[in-house]
Amino acid sequence: MSEKAKNDTRAPVVLVQEDDKGPGCVVQTVWFLFIGWWLSQIAILLGWLLIVTIILMPLGFALLNKVPYLATLHKPKRQTSVHVQEDGVIVMASSDRPQRPFWQRAVFFLLIGWWFSFIVLELAWLLTSTVLLAPLGLPLFGWFPTALTLRR
């Protein structure tokens, strides 16, 4: 480090990264009440039919991974932020969260994920269908990719 950098007494510069999580709570609620509840159920059933065909399994996975968004318009955060201080400047960088090895995720899906994630999705859908239990069901939609293949 240079002598000038050692004697620098300025406050560090902080960079803030905003995460886009979709529209606000009111829009998400209206979406779910009028569209999300039935659209997500259709997507769940169609996704599972696609998975059963084996050949169309990738399309089924893609559709099932979109169920949380289709239900609530909520974009789950799948990135981690790294904060590093370099010469008095704090630098923030984002990267995708590290995933477990493919073979572990495949074994989990074959033994547990294919049936457990269906239960999670249907439970989330059932809970959100009732106004009183919706706050318990909505987080389950976001947890679905983990229940399916241990995706982080």
Side-chain angles (χ1 to χ4, degrees):
M1 186 172 355
S2 69
E3 190 64 36
K4 182 180 178 184
K6 287 181 184 176
N7 294 330
D8 191 3
T9 58
R10 293 180 290 170
V13 176
V14 178
L15 305 173
V16 178
Q17 178 180 345
E18 296 284 330
D19 290 327
D20 180 22
K21 292 192 175 191
C25 181
V26 173
V27 173
Q28 288 179 331
T29 301
V30 170
W31 170 267
F32 180 78
L33 291 175
F34 290 103
I35 299 171
W37 70 271
W38 60 264
L39 183 61
S40 61
Q41 184 64 27
I42 291 171
I44 290 167
L45 297 175
L46 182 59
W48 282 107
L49 286 174
L50 291 172
I51 284 178
V52 170
T53 66
I54 305 296
I55 294 171
L56 297 175
M57 188 181 279
L59 292 175
F61 279 135
L63 183 59
L64 289 173
N65 280 321
K66 293 288 183 190
V67 167
Y69 180 77
L70 293 174
T72 63
L73 296 179
H74 179 76
K75 297 177 185 177
K77 184 178 180 182
R78 300 240 182 261
Q79 293 189 336
T80 56
S81 295
V82 179
H83 310 277
V84 180
Q85 185 168 357
E86 297 173 357
D87 294 329
V89 176
I90 298 174
V91 178
M92 294 174 58
S94 293
S95 64
D96 290 334
R97 295 181 69 187
Q99 301 295 324
R100 288 182 170 79
F102 176 77
W103 70 268
Q104 288 178 358
R105 294 177 67 194
V107 168
F108 179 83
F109 170 76
L110 291 173
L111 297 177
I112 299 169
W114 69 272
W115 59 267
F116 181 63
S117 60
F118 184 76
I119 293 170
V120 168
L121 276 180
E122 288 300 325
L123 181 61
W125 188 83
L126 185 65
L127 290 172
T128 52
S129 295
T130 66
V131 175
L132 187 61
L133 298 176
L136 298 175
L138 291 174
L140 284 179
F141 277 120
W143 194 65
F144 165 74
T146 303
L148 182 66
T149 62
L150 296 177
R151 182 176 177 187
R152 296 182 183 171

